[in-house]
Amino acid sequence: MFARSFFLLVFMVGVLVQSSGCRSLFGWDIHAPGLLSGLYFQETTTAPQRIALYLTDELTSFTSTNKGGRFADPQTYHVGEAFTPMVVEAFQHGFEEFLLMEAEPTPAIMNQYAIPYLVALRPKVFDNRVTLKGQAVGLRTEALVFNPNLDIVGRFEVDGSSDAKKVFAKKGGPEVNLNAAIENNISVTVETLQDWLAGVAV
Amino acid sequence: MKRFLIVLIVCSLIQMPQICADVEDPLLPTDTSGRVREHPKTGKPFVSITDNNNPEGRYPFSSNIEIYSRPDYKMLDHKIKAGEVPYDGPSSSRTKVYVFAATIATAGAATGAFMPVAASTGATGSAAGPLLGAATVAGAGAGAYHYGSKINPDDDDFIERAEARWLETNGETIHAADR
């Protein structure tokens, strides 16, 4: 009688866990602060250029459930949510005349606003490696550079990562680690564009 | 033959306005506007090109914006203890795990099976703060750029933090060997 009710209880708990979903019970929802650190402003200069940035929907809503290890808890990394304000802030500082292209770009729009280059960013891979000592997260994006006729004049991939230890022992550790990986990706994207534009202008 | 050509020309003329309508004149003004927006987290203004028919249609920022202080990556240094660097940003809530564990404990079943999950959320480790070095730039092949930053390039355990690889410039694909 006792064994029967015990198994019934265990079964009911199992059904509860199954129906509510393990992720919602045990999962980690990682939201990065979504702001650049002071380091970015020290390292990156402002280029005297006009540039437009187009963010794909795929990027702004990008999340990853890569939990980084077989036995790790389920995790959801809200990458796009943090990437969007950070990349806008980075371009605001990195280029003297920055435009965010919210409308679908066309050659007519490029001509109307005299935009020499448009950069479109899209996500490729989010990597997460959780070990007993810490966590390494990395983000790969692809940047496409368009001329006023919307022909592709350049395409490059950027990897940004942050590898830190003891992150899970600190309040906000995984969040700041994600922020750092995104910032590394964005700062190299801006530096690469600045160098390329300087080369084109010569 | 002549008649066929005349029919063909007449048909083309009928089709012409429709074909032309599909091609947008790049010199005509578009149905867009340049408007000043404020960065949702810093308040710094920037110019945005929006579609007049749907100005908020592709507003990229999340509607649920919370404002925090800028993160300090010193926090990721293994030598820095928890709470030593002030942090007011988002953090993962462990409450639900404990609430669930408490519910299970009250029900008197399977407590032991669930508690390690709560405990494992505080996994610890040692060493390394990745973001202390300055960016270095090194050209590598025609049109290819490579960027990397390290804690200290002379150290054996330096960590490369980021790099960019050109895949295509001016319509020319850059091969892996040139990157």
Side-chain angles (χ1 to χ4, degrees), chain B residues 92-105:
Chain B
S92 314
S93 167
R94 299 173 199 182
T95 314
K96 58 188 173 187
V97 177
Y98 290 117
V99 167
F100 179 65
T103 316
I104 295 298

Side-chain angles (χ1 to χ4, degrees), chain B residues 1-157:
Chain B
M1 186 65 187
K2 238 182 202 175
R3 194 174 287 172
F4 174 73
L5 278 173
I6 291 167
V7 170
L8 195 69
I9 290 166
V10 169
C11 285
S12 309
L13 287 173
I14 292 167
Q15 292 291 322
M16 192 64 86
Q18 285 170 1
I19 295 166
C20 289
D22 292 340
V23 181
E24 198 178 24
D25 186 345
L27 298 176
L28 285 177
T30 59
D31 203 8
T32 57
S33 329
R35 55 192 291 179
V36 176
R37 289 214 191 265
E38 278 188 1
H39 190 285
K41 297 213 173 199
T42 63
K44 198 177 165 191
F46 63 90
V47 180
S48 208
I49 310 291
T50 57
D51 188 337
N52 288 342
N53 299 318
N54 190 11
E56 303 302 319
R58 291 201 72 253
Y59 182 70
F61 302 104
S62 156
S63 54
N64 186 21
I65 289 280
E66 289 184 52
I67 297 170
Y68 311 107
S69 307
R70 290 195 183 282
D72 186 346
Y73 298 136
K74 274 186 203 148
M75 183 179 149
L76 298 175
D77 191 325
H78 73 285
K79 290 173 198 144
I80 302 289
K81 292 188 178 122
E84 215 171 303
V85 173
Y87 177 73
D88 67 354
S91 57
S92 314
S93 167
R94 299 173 199 182
T95 314
K96 58 188 173 187
V97 177
Y98 290 117
V99 167
F100 179 65
T103 316
I104 295 298
T106 314
T111 318
F114 290 96
M115 286 313 281
V117 175
S120 73
T121 54
T124 58
S126 64
L131 297 164
L132 304 173
T136 55
V137 182
Y145 297 77
H146 181 95
Y147 293 80
S149 284
K150 293 127 182 142
I151 295 172
N152 180 355
D154 298 328
D155 287 351
D156 290 336
D157 60 344

Side-chain angles (χ1 to χ4, degrees), chain A residues 19-170:
Chain A
S19 61
S20 58
C22 280
R23 180 165 296 121
S24 61
L25 284 167
F26 303 118
W28 290 66
D29 249 329
I30 312 291
H31 296 270
L35 274 164
L36 297 168
S37 70
L39 203 65
Y40 175 83
F41 299 94
Q42 289 168 25
E43 285 182 354
T44 314
T45 54
T46 305
Q49 277 284 347
R50 176 174 298 187
I51 198 161
L53 173 68
Y54 179 79
L55 298 169
T56 55
D57 293 340
E58 193 189 358
L59 182 68
T60 55
S61 61
F62 182 55
T63 57
S64 171
T65 52
N66 180 349
K67 64 181 188 175
R70 206 170 161 188
F71 302 108
D73 301 340
Q75 294 154 36
T76 304
Y77 289 85
H78 298 267
V79 181
E81 174 198 85
F83 190 96
T84 305
M86 287 171 79
V87 75
V88 169
E89 200 187 1
F91 272 67
Q92 274 182 292
H93 175 76
F95 301 95
E96 238 165 50
E97 295 184 356
F98 159 66
L99 296 150
L100 181 66
M101 184 67 76
E102 285 182 46
E104 285 300 321
T106 61
I109 295 176
M110 299 289 281
N111 280 317
Q112 186 180 341
Y113 299 99
I115 302 168
Y117 295 105
L118 173 99
V119 181
L121 299 176
R122 60 184 182 202
K124 298 275 280 191
V125 182
F126 179 77
D127 192 39
N128 179 20
R129 197 160 34 84
V130 177
T131 62
L132 284 174
K133 289 186 174 178
Q135 181 199 33
V137 284
L139 173 66
R140 178 179 295 167
T141 52
E142 186 179 52
L144 298 152
V145 188
F146 296 89
N147 67 11
N149 295 323
L150 295 184
D151 302 319
I152 294 178
V153 289
R155 186 165 67 92
F156 60 93
E157 273 183 353
V158 178
D159 283 313
S161 63
S162 178
D163 185 350
K165 292 174 184 172
K166 288 188 176 177
V167 286
F168 291 105
K170 295 169 186 169

